[in-house]
Amino acid sequence: MMKMELYTDAMLTCDLPQHRLRRGDIVKLVERHVAPDGTEGYSIEVFNAVGDTIAITAVPVSALEVLREDEVFCARIM
């Protein structure tokens, strides 16, 4: 089970079309969950470029990736 630090940024590894989010979007980890079957996940908050919240949802840990120092941020139109 990969444990990630709360209140840090992570990157989505898959699209979440119901929230208009795409693989590569940056999210903030706000709460850790463990389902009865042992599946780990996180509540995430997503902000636009000026800091407004645009989505709050829960995803499995498999939908997240730790940011690396060789990556850069970019912006896209929703």
Side-chain angles (χ1 to χ4, degrees):
M1 210 183 286
M2 176 177 47
K3 189 167 182 181
M4 303 169 88
E5 290 292 320
L6 293 182
Y7 309 109
T8 61
D9 292 331
M11 180 174 60
L12 288 176
T13 61
C14 61
D15 293 344
L16 299 177
Q18 67 274 32
H19 297 288
R20 299 185 332 165
L21 300 175
R22 293 187 190 159
R23 182 181 189 275
D25 286 348
I26 304 303
V27 304
K28 182 75 69 182
L29 306 177
V30 294
E31 189 174 353
R32 181 175 175 262
H33 309 276
V34 179
D37 68 359
T39 304
E40 183 180 357
Y42 287 87
S43 290
I44 59 171
E45 187 168 3
V46 186
F47 302 93
N48 65 15
V50 296
D52 300 321
T53 299
I54 57 171
I56 298 173
T57 191
V59 296
V61 72
S62 61
L64 300 167
E65 184 176 296
V66 176
L67 297 178
R68 301 183 326 240
E69 65 183 42
D70 64 342
E71 296 172 322
V72 297
F73 291 110
C74 66
R76 68 175 178 84
I77 304 286
M78 290 190 73

